[in-house]
Amino acid sequence: MKVKVLAFGIAKEIIKKDTINLELKAGVKVSDLKLILEECYPGLKKTAFLLAVNNSYVSNRKSIKSGDEIAIIPPTSGG
Amino acid sequence: MINALISKKDLNIEKSIDWAMKDSAGCLSVFVGRVRPKTNKKKVKYLKYEVYETMAIEEMKKIAQKASSRWNIDRILIHHRTGIVKVGEVPVVIVVSAEHRKDAMSACRYLIDTLKSTVPIWKKEVFNDGEKWVFSHA
């Protein structure tokens, strides 16, 4: 299945792209995708990050579905 | 009532206050951020904000709803800049109206503290000799 992954802040600089299109196996969980991303982009291991799915923070156990919009959220610093 | 906005242009503090001066409000609590000229004694050139806009608006509404369920609140406005914000400019305005001050002040403090740690907004400090991502001072 295809998913779109958006990268922001320091994660965007590490990946050197703001969007990645990934082909994943069905049933992949958020925690699996974190490991896949760290394997593809080892620089991500240097920063803490969460994954958001379709504009919400989700649990690591959530399964990812085809067409989901995932976002890499490094520690925020608004204000 | 909730008013959440991400803006590329200057924020208008007066209009933000006017929006909340309605209904049964007996007071407003206002938080205005300002880009400070120095960080750790180092001169700041400007700040560069990056925002995941769709989610930031969702998260702003979520924290406003949480504040409304916790305190007796009338209106909440949360406006935040994106892009380059210069020294002395205003990156964030929060206005809370309520019948009584304790509710307005507690909610306002909760909103700015929570915004910093959960709303997907990132800031980079740009100096004359380099730049650095800021991580939340929560």
Side-chain angles (χ1 to χ4, degrees):
Chain A
M1 61 178 181
K2 283 184 173 36
V3 293
K4 186 160 96 172
V5 181
L6 309 176
F8 293 94
I10 197 165
K12 185 164 98 179
E13 286 182 0
I14 290 168
I15 293 173
K16 298 185 175 74
K17 273 190 256 181
D18 58 11
T19 312
I20 322 162
N21 289 301
L22 285 181
E23 184 70 44
L24 298 175
K25 284 184 205 154
V28 164
K29 291 185 169 43
V30 167
S31 53
D32 302 325
L33 180 55
K34 278 180 99 169
L35 294 175
I36 293 169
L37 287 167
E38 283 179 348
E39 212 167 284
C40 296
Y41 304 98
L44 284 177
K45 289 177 189 164
K46 282 182 241 154
T47 180
F49 68 92
L50 296 171
L51 293 180
V53 178
N54 300 329
N55 292 297
S56 286
Y57 291 112
V58 292
S59 127
N60 273 329
R61 295 187 301 271
K62 186 185 167 69
S63 295
I64 290 163
K65 295 189 191 71
S66 178
D68 277 349
E69 180 179 287
I70 319 284
I72 305 175
I73 312 280
T76 60
S77 51
Chain B
M1 206 180 280
I2 295 165
N3 177 334
L5 176 78
I6 299 294
S7 173
K8 288 190 180 71
K9 296 183 194 147
D10 286 355
L11 301 180
N12 189 320
I13 298 168
E14 207 172 324
K15 274 192 183 162
S16 301
I17 290 173
D18 284 347
W19 179 83
M21 291 279 267
K22 303 266 164 59
D23 309 330
S24 56
C27 60
L28 302 186
S29 184
V30 179
F31 178 86
V32 177
R34 178 179 187 256
V35 179
R36 65 176 73 84
K38 283 181 183 175
T39 181
N40 297 327
K41 296 182 183 165
K42 202 168 175 187
K43 204 176 156 202
V44 173
K45 222 167 137 191
Y46 56 85
L47 299 184
K48 206 153 89 185
Y49 284 89
E50 197 174 304
V51 180
Y52 180 17
E53 285 204 29
T54 49
M55 182 172 169
I57 295 285
E58 289 295 311
E59 282 299 314
M60 285 173 170
K61 287 180 180 166
K62 272 185 205 166
I63 63 173
Q65 276 153 8
K66 268 189 199 156
S68 301
S69 64
R70 207 162 145 191
W71 294 282
N72 191 8
I73 298 299
D74 244 22
R75 292 187 169 208
I76 293 176
L77 174 144
I78 308 174
H79 288 183
H80 204 293
R81 289 278 301 272
T82 184
I84 288 172
V85 185
K86 294 178 195 148
V87 169
E89 289 186 348
V90 173
V92 61
V93 176
I94 295 179
V95 184
V96 181
S97 68
E99 275 186 59
H100 300 288
R101 72 183 186 286
K102 276 187 184 165
D103 290 311
M105 292 170 97
S106 302
C108 190
R109 184 182 186 133
Y110 163 83
L111 288 166
I112 183 61
D113 288 349
T114 315
L115 177 141
K116 282 175 182 276
S117 58
T118 70
V119 178
I121 299 174
W122 298 270
K123 89 180 134 207
K124 194 178 224 184
E125 289 169 335
V126 180
F127 308 101
N128 281 321
D129 61 350
E131 51 184 43
K132 179 169 129 298
W133 286 106
V134 179
F135 296 110
S136 192
H137 303 291

